[in-house]
Amino acid sequence: MLEGAVMEFWKWIIAIFLFMTFVSFALLCIDLGNINSFKQQVNYQIERQGGLTETAVANLKEYSNKYYHGNFAVESEQLNKKVSYGDAVDYTVKGTFDIKIFPIVPDVHLNFNGTGVSQVR
């Protein structure tokens, strides 16, 4: 009789742990979905500022801090340079994502590549 109670207890513990793991994974996926909107903002800044100029980088840093808690940073070989009309700017968005429910797991660091085209004449 006691074995059944112990078995039921461990089933509940395992079920709760699995549920929390799935919820944590879902929250991470939601955070990963934010990368597309941030890359859209990077492309917008490249189009409007003529590349990843100092102003564009400052705007992106402020945008990341305001809306994404500073999770994103932009790196590029053409950083702080103005490019001419129609030139492509390749960049890498570095994302740092924390695991919400299990904070003992280290942060996840991912890189996302993108390209924007300058629209400033």
Side-chain angles (χ1 to χ4, degrees), residues 5 7 14 19 23-24 36-37 45 57 85 89 98 100 118:
M7 187 78 128
I14 291 171
F19 178 73
V23 169
S24 180
N36 290 327
S37 61
Q45 288 296 323
V57 172
Y85 177 79
V89 177
D98 59 334
K100 303 286 190 255
S118 173

Side-chain angles (χ1 to χ4, degrees), residues 89-118:
V89 177
D90 296 324
Y91 61 87
T92 301
V93 175
K94 295 192 174 273
T96 303
F97 306 97
D98 59 334
I99 307 300
K100 303 286 190 255
I101 294 179
F102 296 116
I104 57 173
V105 179
D107 291 344
V108 177
H109 302 283
L110 298 173
N111 297 330
F112 303 93
N113 296 324
T115 303
V117 178
S118 173

Side-chain angles (χ1 to χ4, degrees), residues 10-26 101-102:
W10 283 108
K11 279 196 240 180
W12 275 98
I13 294 296
I14 291 171
I16 290 171
F17 179 76
L18 287 175
F19 178 73
M20 290 174 56
T21 303
F22 290 139
V23 169
S24 180
F25 181 72
I101 294 179
F102 296 116

Side-chain angles (χ1 to χ4, degrees), residues 7-8 13 16 39 41 48 61 83-84 86 93-94 97:
M7 187 78 128
E8 188 70 21
I13 294 296
I16 290 171
K39 283 175 64 174
Q41 184 66 22
R48 297 294 180 198
K61 186 174 182 179
V83 296
S84 59
V93 175
K94 295 192 174 273
F97 306 97

Side-chain angles (χ1 to χ4, degrees), residues 57-78:
V57 172
N59 290 344
L60 290 170
K61 186 174 182 179
E62 178 185 337
Y63 189 79
S64 175
N65 289 336
K66 184 175 181 181
Y67 294 107
Y68 302 109
H69 308 291
N71 288 345
F72 300 117
V74 178
E75 290 185 358
S76 175
E77 292 180 2
Q78 299 164 329

